[in-house]
Amino acid sequence: MKAKTQHLRNVACIAALTGVLAACDPEFNNPVTDNSSLSAGTADFSRFVALGDSLTAGFADGTVYTHGQENSFPAILAQQFAAVGGGAFTQPLMADNNGGLLLSGNPLPGFDQRLVLSGSPLAPTLSSGTPTTDVANILTGPFNNMGVPGAKSFHLGADGYGNLAGLLTVPATANPFFVRFAGAPNNSMVTDTLTQVPTFFTLWIGNNDTVSYATAGGTGVDQLGNTNPATYGASDLTDPTAFAGVYSGIVTALTANGAKGVLINLPDVTSIPYFTTVPFNAIPMDADTAAASNAAFAAYNGGIAGAGLPAAEVAQRTITFAAGQNALVIEDESLTDLSGFGLPSIRQATAADFVLLPSSSKIGTEATPGNPATVWGVGTALVDGDVLTEAEAALVTAANDAFNTTIANVANANPDLALFDAKAELARLASEGINYGSGIITTTFATGGGFSLDGVHPTARGYAVVANLIMDTIESSFGATLRRVDPGSYTTTFIE
């Protein structure tokens, strides 16, 4: 297992070394053993617990693996807290650096090993390593890192979310990552957190309440008005009222014994590489190919023109190609249903649509091998799950904004709570990058240094930047003085 890890080479190591040599931040020149200027301020880090989802767990490259966990933002924070009275920080470490899960010795479907860059040209590929982490091997806690990948807001208080038997029901009622380390089969995540009587906590939850819908291309249901999460599907958007009730209850429980903490709001998911890497106009054509494609759509365009639709929808649905880059043809279920006339609900994408990262592997290939008329994105429209349309993205934004209003209100109502504005920081990362003193990270897929190969979760370097920014918030809110880490010394993406 360790030998396998040694074969992994950090893509950015040369750049990182260059960045470190060029670093000019005097903070990194301070002796690391000099703690005389450091202080916890009014905070008590003796029992620090981080509660949340995959972003708290250190998830990266499509899975959880030990290197990612060891560089999770809570683990980095705990290392700095240790200099000012912070206690031990334990994590439910995976058995290897391969990622992936087994159940009683058999691969657990949907929980593959990590992504690495491989091949020529380099492309994200599943690592050749074999998963060895078996969900049935229950760890003994308690654990300070209570991050559970896939958890939504209402899962945190759900009894039985860590019950092995719940993995075998249809639908499953348990989460295999929590099954590994739940204090008791029917404990909730909140119960296991409170058992530790934390003196300080971070809470970053609600991301999956929108991300699961967005990454599924909006194939779920917007549950606006339905406050019963028990009726939700896995890819549904959570109702803001339901979120507000759950979130407030969690924070009330966490602060009941006087604990202080940082609430972290929710970034705009449509600015992460999973949604921004594949352009809407990903199809290059020469003049002859464009003319042939236009001829192929002549009957469809004629049908749309004669269907009695408003002029705006006729224009929206009319498909044309020209020499150069061309917009992808996509399904859009929000269009007027003309299936009774034999006309599909398709149109060409615009810059307001988000083509999902996994679709990059199918665009331009033949849906029916050997039939060039079925090329995905041209003769065959990308399906609903390949694209988050403009209308679906608007639903995500509305829900996210409502959740963030709740988080801000809860934070502002309690002087023992600080608010870290992750939304603003991701917006800065997406627009200009973040200069961390010895280098810069951006949202550019695979090479920007900020995001891992799944396009959703940060790299170790990205998590280090997050940890430093959270420390800024802790200092301004609780009067602490903490030592920062140098993100340039943390890894980014790997090749195998």
Side-chain angles (χ1 to χ4, degrees), residues 145 256 282 360:
N145 190 326
S360 62

Side-chain angles (χ1 to χ4, degrees), residues 15 33 55 61 110 120 127-128 146 158 184 193 226 229 251 310 335 348 362 384 397 403 405 430 443 452-454 464:
T33 57
L55 293 171
D61 298 315
S120 180
S127 165
S128 59
M146 291 295 300
T193 299
N226 178 5
V251 175
L335 299 172
Q348 284 180 289
K362 67 190 286 187
D384 189 18
T397 298
F403 299 165
T405 296
T443 57
S452 69
L453 295 176
D454 60 33

